[in-house]
Amino acid sequence: MSQERNESVPHMKSEEFRQLGHQMVDWIADYWARMESYPVRAKVAPGEVLSKLPPHAPEQGLGGVEGWDAVFKDLESVVMPGVTHWQSPSFFAYFPANASGPSVLGELLSAGLGVQGMLWSTGPSCTELETRVLDWLAELIGLPESFRSMSPAGGGVIQGTASEATLVAMVAARSRVRRQRPGDAPLVAYSSTQAHSSVLKAAMLSGVARGASDTAHVRLLETDGGYALRPELLERAITEDLAAGRQPFFVCATLGTTSSGAMDPLGPTSEVMKRTGLTDMGGWLHVDAAWAGSALICPENQGLAAGIENVDSIAFDPHKWMLTNFDCDAFYTRDRAALVEALSVTPEYLRNAASASGSVIDYRDWQVELGRRFRALKLWFVVRHYGVNGLRAYIREHVRLAALFESWVREDTRFELAVPRSLSLVCFRLAPRPGEAPEATDARNRALLDKLNATGSAFLSHTVLPGVGGKPARFVLRMAIGAPSTQETHVRACWEALQKLTGE
Amino acid sequence: MSQERNESVPHMKSEEFRQLGHQMVDWIADYWARMESYPVRAKVAPGEVLSKLPPHAPEQGLGGVEGWDAVFKDLESVVMPGVTHWQSPSFFAYFPANASGPSVLGELLSAGLGVQGMLWSTGPSCTELETRVLDWLAELIGLPESFRSMSPAGGGVIQGTASEATLVAMVAARSRVRRQRPGDAPLVAYSSTQAHSSVLKAAMLSGVARGASDTAHVRLLETDGGYALRPELLERAITEDLAAGRQPFFVCATLGTTSSGAMDPLGPTSEVMKRTGLTDMGGWLHVDAAWAGSALICPENQGLAAGIENVDSIAFDPHKWMLTNFDCDAFYTRDRAALVEALSVTPEYLRNAASASGSVIDYRDWQVELGRRFRALKLWFVVRHYGVNGLRAYIREHVRLAALFESWVREDTRFELAVPRSLSLVCFRLAPRPGEAPEATDARNRALLDKLNATGSAFLSHTVLPGVGGKPARFVLRMAIGAPSTQETHVRACWEALQKLTGE
């Protein structure tokens, strides 16, 4: 950047950047190699990291490459003890948050280019590479052409997270329904109780819900025994709300719920929306496939999305299970005009000839933020490096490992599956002992989880699955396989640790 | 990551990552060195980049380091022609979007660690480093202790963008006002006509406004001759809305408007809110200092924020003018409880002992998204590398260059300042000729801007400043100085190009 010329501002010199950049790349490679030497979940106490950081910003800078020795030292002594290792091969908690070599290179390049692609004109490559790579992915996961940019009305965009995707879909839905059904009827959104918390959060942000307990405007419907949405309950709720003068406008179906990986039936859900007249009112069906969506790149999994041609939008996170660093959510809609109508504000200072021509996409109108970085690079790198075959092999290997884990659970009578395995997620628990109170079973499971996580050898998280059909709710452990480096040996070690702790 | 073991998934090997990582670091250093060889604004036509990208994803991956030659080749031939060079020393458009060596290293490290810090427990260092570095910055820009995490009620958090910060502030405001004043009175937000478009967009997202032209719920008030908010108009509007049964709840003041860098008076604005009773109702004053906030690290500029102790929140973007890569917005509030109340949803699968103890911050409850990457690293690196003195020197150099440019405009009678310089932003134009119609003056200015940008030697953007006091609106050019590599020579070259094009 020709930064050398002004001596009063201590910009990093080109040679220094090269040297420190190489050092940082090597540090990362070393970290990946030694990752298993760390406890998976950080063992620090609250405030411990904070207490090691000086209370005031330094007056003087580092003064060159030598000064950076102190930074690398603090990285080891201050930062690393407080890192929970999401990339560890024994990280099985929540859902994965994938990083990979190609993706890190893409993030690095994006930072180095420093492009801000709010408008086509401020980043033509930022925009058009995103358009193309998202069309690639749309084809891979089996989306009809109506969701791709080649279609007159559809297209894909990278959102930061699935939460943003849900929010954007919800406000587009509101805009479309209000246009078709003007008035002040209270709006109602629908999902199952198992939908992600971001549905309720989107309703709170958008003002549809007044607070986290507003069940009048966000109906969280009971599920079937497999924790999937029950279309007949959705139909009843929509019908009742319409009869009461309320305005249904948004349904969120989930492919792969966070708690148990349940798959809501898309076809029957959209049928309900048609039958109740909601589709004709402009009602919107969004599919949150944040985690499971990546599995749709394998043809054998695409049946899970049967009926996808009738939904209005779908989002999934390559940053979860497709080797692309956070943040990268792929969002598709068949009605991009609704997005733009709900989100576009064009002040004079953003007007330009290309936008005025109508021949370009300005992705700022498809998202919450105005600014956007060049996130398509990392996705492009990942797809090119692995190729479709490599990406499919990656998904299949995790599914294979989860099936193996599931078989071990089935074979050990001390344990039970909470629900059948969903792709690479296994929900299981210590089985109830004869006559044991449900609370006691839960307590034993909680203790097992705490003991395992305290060892640092693996990290699992939990959920509570609601009781269905009069049964009690259950505390269950979630084995979510999906870190890039996870091998059979890590899954087996985790299972053996669980068995050993159970035997104690 | 021990990725070598599974041969069926073509993970990048450790040695390959090192080699390609070094290559990418060097590519970036080379790019920075040769940046001036590119036209600042990309010269591609719509669809040009897209047409060079294959229509389908590759079935086979790259097969190793050699395969990456094709990627680096495409980077040059496909991507680079479509890049608008935000880091160019002759990029003077919009506001800057800074990158720097230390910041790129931080982004790289964040990607390599792959931490997802949604909860304290999923990233203690991610959380606590952010807390500490934001407290550093709060002190630097002169915020009272009530905005820092050390206080019982306040604190800072990194948002992605100022747009998100405004949205979060607005929904927190709504939540607080609705709690204190339950009911269904229509909510009204206020800013000047010169506030950023994200205020209106936040109102659309939050449902406060019904569309981009809903002036009943978002009042965009006329400004004074310097394009700053007029407190007496705010007072009149609030009073009228209250009398009509509406519920004022949110005021956005701007430090450094996008069009002309105007500074709204914070003290008188908060006085109006007190006097009208709005403060007692829970009404919220947010300060959008997205661009100008970085200048507050220099004590000589802190007078611009006089009255800051009475605002509820303030946000500024280190990614604009403080050498930190996009995305990094520093958001502070004195009432973090209002944020959490408006944004917190806690499903079972996110519950954990640390959160339950109440002794940690879970930043997911301070933002739109659930997930979050380790963005504090880049900010930490920047502050440590430059030191407070270096950062101040950086700001001061840009202000000096803008003052120089301003002096040149003043000396050339063909030109005029549209408004006095604001920090490093100079709004100017070709002066009207005697008897020239306003439209003709505008057309000459538009033509000058188009000609300059078409040369590729510099990139400026424009705005239209509204007429105040019966005068006509004016098309003006914006000279926004703030790229890390900009030197006096670039500013001078831009001015000489403008003069030459004017002479033609």
Side-chain angles (χ1 to χ4, degrees):
Chain A
M1 280 199 228
S2 314
Q3 292 181 342
E4 291 90 331
R5 286 177 230 158
N6 188 336
E7 290 310 314
S8 66
V9 182
H11 289 303
M12 190 177 276
K13 294 183 175 60
S14 184
E15 282 314 311
E16 292 174 334
F17 176 73
R18 286 172 208 265
Q19 183 179 334
L20 291 166
H22 294 188
Q23 193 175 337
M24 191 62 80
V25 165
D26 291 342
W27 190 94
I28 291 168
D30 290 341
Y31 166 62
W32 290 348
R34 70 188 157 115
M35 201 181 303
E36 294 183 55
S37 67
Y38 289 101
V40 184
R41 192 182 63 179
K43 293 194 167 187
V44 291
E48 203 171 317
V49 175
L50 196 68
S51 70
K52 292 187 203 163
L53 293 160
H56 307 287
E59 290 293 313
Q60 296 302 324
L62 296 172
V65 170
E66 309 73 34
W68 276 79
D69 287 349
V71 175
F72 280 97
K73 205 177 140 203
D74 287 350
L75 186 52
E76 297 294 346
S77 63
V78 179
V79 174
M80 294 311 290
V83 168
T84 290
H85 302 274
W86 283 72
Q87 304 310 317
S88 165
S90 300
F91 184 97
F92 303 115
Y94 310 108
F95 279 135
N98 279 187
S100 72
S103 173
V104 171
L105 296 178
E107 194 72 85
L108 170 60
L109 177 59
S110 170
L113 287 173
V115 167
Q116 204 274 55
M118 59 185 174
L119 301 166
W120 178 88
S121 66
T122 68
S125 285
C126 179
T127 299
E128 296 191 6
L129 185 65
E130 185 162 330
T131 298
R132 183 63 93 201
V133 175
L134 285 184
D135 270 3
W136 287 359
L137 284 190
E139 185 178 30
L140 279 188
I141 66 169
L143 291 185
E145 289 196 5
S146 52
F147 289 91
R148 304 185 207 166
S149 301
M150 63 169 69
S151 76
V157 62
I158 299 177
Q159 305 279 354
T161 67
S163 297
E164 287 174 63
T166 301
L167 175 61
V168 161
M170 192 179 281
V171 299
R174 172 169 62 192
S175 170
R176 192 168 77 177
V177 169
R178 284 293 194 203
R179 177 162 35 81
Q180 294 188 220
R181 308 266 292 184
D184 282 314
L187 296 166
V188 190
Y190 307 82
S191 72
S192 85
T193 58
Q194 299 301 292
H196 191 260
S197 56
S198 55
V199 176
L200 185 50
K201 189 164 179 174
M204 290 158 67
L205 282 159
S206 66
V208 167
R210 288 197 173 186
S213 54
D214 178 1
T215 53
H217 300 97
V218 182
R219 303 222 184 273
L220 303 178
L221 305 165
E222 278 189 27
T223 65
D224 64 22
Y227 301 101
L229 184 74
R230 289 173 60 186
E232 74 278 16
L233 291 192
L234 176 64
E235 182 154 10
R236 193 190 304 164
I238 291 173
T239 305
E240 285 175 6
D241 283 326
L242 283 170
R246 291 181 286 263
Q247 181 60 62
F249 80 109
F250 181 77
V251 178
C252 181
T254 307
L255 288 183
T257 59
T258 306
S259 276
S260 68
M263 306 285 172
D264 292 341
L266 305 188
T269 301
S270 67
E271 281 305 313
V272 162
M273 293 176 68
K274 275 186 201 159
R275 208 154 50 226
T276 54
L278 181 49
T279 302
D280 286 340
M281 295 172 194
W284 191 288
L285 175 53
H286 175 66
V287 179
D288 174 6
W291 161 68
S294 294
L296 299 178
I297 65 171
C298 301
E300 68 269 26
N301 298 325
Q302 292 186 357
L304 296 171
I308 191 73
E309 63 278 7
N310 291 318
V311 314
D312 296 280
S313 56
I314 177 171
F316 80 100
D317 291 343
H319 69 231
K320 281 199 167 65
W321 196 17
M322 217 185 78
L323 295 157
T324 310
N325 280 70
F326 193 84
D327 47 354
C328 183
D329 170 89
F331 173 84
Y332 296 95
T333 180
R334 287 192 297 140
D335 186 2
R336 66 189 191 210
L339 247 67
V340 173
E341 183 186 12
L343 296 170
S344 185
V345 183
T346 305
E348 179 61 36
Y349 48 78
L350 296 179
R351 292 187 193 278
N352 65 88
S355 298
S357 75
S359 61
V360 299
I361 291 174
D362 292 325
Y363 278 128
R364 74 183 176 103
D365 292 331
W366 300 42
Q367 65 177 22
V368 172
E369 306 85 0
L370 174 57
R372 54 201 331 268
R373 67 192 205 283
F374 202 161
R375 290 182 291 206
L377 286 171
K378 58 187 175 187
L379 201 48
W380 190 45
F381 282 4
V382 165
V383 177
R384 291 191 69 174
H385 175 86
Y386 286 91
V388 174
N389 293 338
L391 294 175
R392 287 180 178 149
Y394 177 71
I395 296 287
R396 285 170 182 150
E397 172 65 2
H398 288 155
V399 172
R400 183 187 77 80
L401 295 177
L404 203 57
F405 188 89
E406 180 189 35
S407 72
W408 297 333
V409 173
R410 283 189 194 277
E411 287 162 15
D412 188 327
T413 55
R414 294 171 299 178
F415 290 87
E416 68 177 14
L417 288 174
V419 289
R421 173 183 59 82
S422 174
L423 298 168
S424 64
L425 175 65
V426 181
C427 291
F428 67 104
R429 63 172 189 160
L430 293 168
R433 290 169 178 159
E436 186 178 43
E439 299 74 24
T441 313
D442 286 355
R444 282 196 297 124
N445 276 286
R446 190 182 293 272
L448 173 61
L449 179 67
D450 289 346
K451 275 193 282 186
L452 177 73
N453 289 341
T455 67
S457 67
F459 181 25
L460 272 68
S461 58
H462 77 282
T463 194
V464 171
L465 290 175
V468 176
K471 292 181 187 167
R474 294 172 295 168
F475 181 100
V476 308
L477 281 64
R478 298 171 66 265
M479 179 77 178
I481 297 174
S485 57
T486 300
Q487 304 289 333
E488 188 172 323
T489 175
H490 306 104
V491 176
R492 189 177 297 273
C494 178
W495 174 242
E496 287 171 358
L498 284 162
Q499 286 185 307
K500 181 153 171 276
L501 291 167
T502 299
E504 278 170 4
Chain B
M1 281 199 227
S2 313
Q3 293 180 342
E4 291 90 331
R5 287 178 229 156
N6 188 336
E7 290 310 314
S8 65
V9 182
H11 288 304
M12 189 177 277
K13 294 183 176 59
S14 184
E15 282 313 310
E16 293 174 335
F17 176 73
R18 285 172 208 265
Q19 184 178 334
L20 291 166
H22 294 187
Q23 194 176 336
M24 191 62 79
V25 165
D26 290 343
W27 190 94
I28 291 168
D30 291 341
Y31 166 63
W32 290 349
R34 70 189 158 114
M35 201 182 299
E36 293 183 56
S37 67
Y38 289 101
V40 183
R41 194 183 60 179
K43 293 194 167 187
V44 292
E48 204 172 315
V49 175
L50 197 66
S51 69
K52 292 188 204 165
L53 293 161
H56 307 287
E59 289 293 313
Q60 295 302 325
L62 296 172
V65 170
E66 309 72 35
W68 275 78
D69 288 348
V71 175
F72 279 98
K73 204 177 141 203
D74 287 350
L75 185 53
E76 297 293 348
S77 63
V78 179
V79 175
M80 294 311 290
V83 168
T84 290
H85 301 274
W86 283 73
Q87 303 311 315
S88 165
S90 299
F91 184 98
F92 304 116
Y94 309 107
F95 279 135
N98 280 187
S100 72
S103 173
V104 171
L105 295 178
E107 194 73 86
L108 169 59
L109 177 59
S110 170
L113 288 173
V115 167
Q116 205 273 56
M118 59 184 175
L119 301 166
W120 177 88
S121 66
T122 68
S125 285
C126 180
T127 300
E128 296 191 5
L129 185 64
E130 185 161 329
T131 299
R132 182 63 91 200
V133 175
L134 286 184
D135 270 4
W136 288 359
L137 283 190
E139 185 177 30
L140 280 188
I141 66 169
L143 290 185
E145 289 196 3
S146 52
F147 289 91
R148 305 184 207 167
S149 300
M150 64 169 69
S151 76
V157 63
I158 298 178
Q159 305 279 352
T161 67
S163 297
E164 287 174 64
T166 301
L167 174 61
V168 161
M170 192 178 282
V171 298
R174 173 170 60 192
S175 170
R176 191 168 78 179
V177 169
R178 285 294 194 202
R179 176 162 36 81
Q180 294 188 221
R181 307 268 293 185
D184 283 312
L187 296 167
V188 190
Y190 307 82
S191 72
S192 85
T193 58
Q194 300 301 293
H196 191 259
S197 56
S198 55
V199 176
L200 185 51
K201 189 163 179 175
M204 290 159 67
L205 281 159
S206 66
V208 167
R210 288 197 173 186
S213 54
D214 178 0
T215 52
H217 299 97
V218 182
R219 304 220 183 274
L220 302 178
L221 305 166
E222 278 188 28
T223 65
D224 64 22
Y227 301 100
L229 183 76
R230 289 173 60 186
E232 73 278 15
L233 292 192
L234 176 65
E235 181 154 10
R236 193 191 305 164
I238 291 173
T239 306
E240 286 175 5
D241 283 324
L242 283 170
R246 292 181 286 263
Q247 181 60 63
F249 80 110
F250 181 77
V251 178
C252 181
T254 307
L255 288 183
T257 59
T258 306
S259 276
S260 67
M263 306 285 173
D264 292 341
L266 305 188
T269 301
S270 67
E271 282 304 314
V272 163
M273 293 176 69
K274 276 187 202 159
R275 210 156 46 227
T276 55
L278 180 48
T279 301
D280 285 341
M281 296 172 192
W284 191 288
L285 176 52
H286 175 66
V287 179
D288 174 5
W291 162 67
S294 293
L296 299 178
I297 64 171
C298 300
E300 68 270 26
N301 298 325
Q302 292 186 356
L304 297 171
I308 191 72
E309 63 277 7
N310 290 319
V311 315
D312 295 281
S313 56
I314 178 170
F316 80 100
D317 291 344
H319 70 230
K320 282 198 167 64
W321 196 17
M322 219 186 77
L323 295 157
T324 309
N325 279 70
F326 192 86
D327 48 354
C328 183
D329 169 89
F331 173 85
Y332 296 94
T333 180
R334 288 192 297 139
D335 186 2
R336 66 190 192 210
L339 247 68
V340 173
E341 182 186 14
L343 296 170
S344 184
V345 183
T346 305
E348 179 61 36
Y349 50 77
L350 296 179
R351 291 187 193 278
N352 65 88
S355 298
S357 75
S359 60
V360 299
I361 291 174
D362 292 324
Y363 278 128
R364 73 183 176 102
D365 292 332
W366 298 43
Q367 65 178 21
V368 171
E369 307 85 1
L370 173 58
R372 56 203 328 270
R373 67 191 205 283
F374 201 161
R375 292 182 290 207
L377 285 171
K378 58 187 175 188
L379 201 48
W380 189 45
F381 282 5
V382 165
V383 177
R384 289 191 69 174
H385 175 86
Y386 287 91
V388 173
N389 294 337
L391 294 174
R392 286 179 178 150
Y394 177 71
I395 296 287
R396 285 169 182 151
E397 172 64 3
H398 288 156
V399 172
R400 183 186 78 81
L401 295 176
L404 203 56
F405 188 89
E406 179 189 36
S407 72
W408 298 332
V409 173
R410 284 189 193 277
E411 286 162 16
D412 187 326
T413 55
R414 295 171 297 178
F415 290 86
E416 69 176 12
L417 288 174
V419 289
R421 173 182 58 83
S422 174
L423 299 168
S424 63
L425 174 66
V426 182
C427 291
F428 67 103
R429 63 171 189 161
L430 292 168
R433 291 167 177 161
E436 187 176 42
E439 299 75 23
T441 314
D442 285 355
R444 283 196 297 123
N445 275 286
R446 191 182 294 273
L448 174 61
L449 179 66
D450 289 346
K451 275 193 280 186
L452 177 72
N453 288 342
T455 67
S457 68
F459 181 25
L460 272 67
S461 58
H462 77 282
T463 194
V464 171
L465 290 175
V468 176
K471 294 181 185 165
R474 295 172 295 167
F475 181 99
V476 308
L477 283 64
R478 297 171 67 265
M479 179 77 178
I481 297 174
S485 57
T486 300
Q487 304 289 334
E488 188 172 323
T489 176
H490 305 105
V491 176
R492 189 178 297 273
C494 178
W495 173 242
E496 287 170 358
L498 284 162
Q499 287 185 308
K500 180 154 173 276
L501 290 168
T502 300
E504 278 169 6

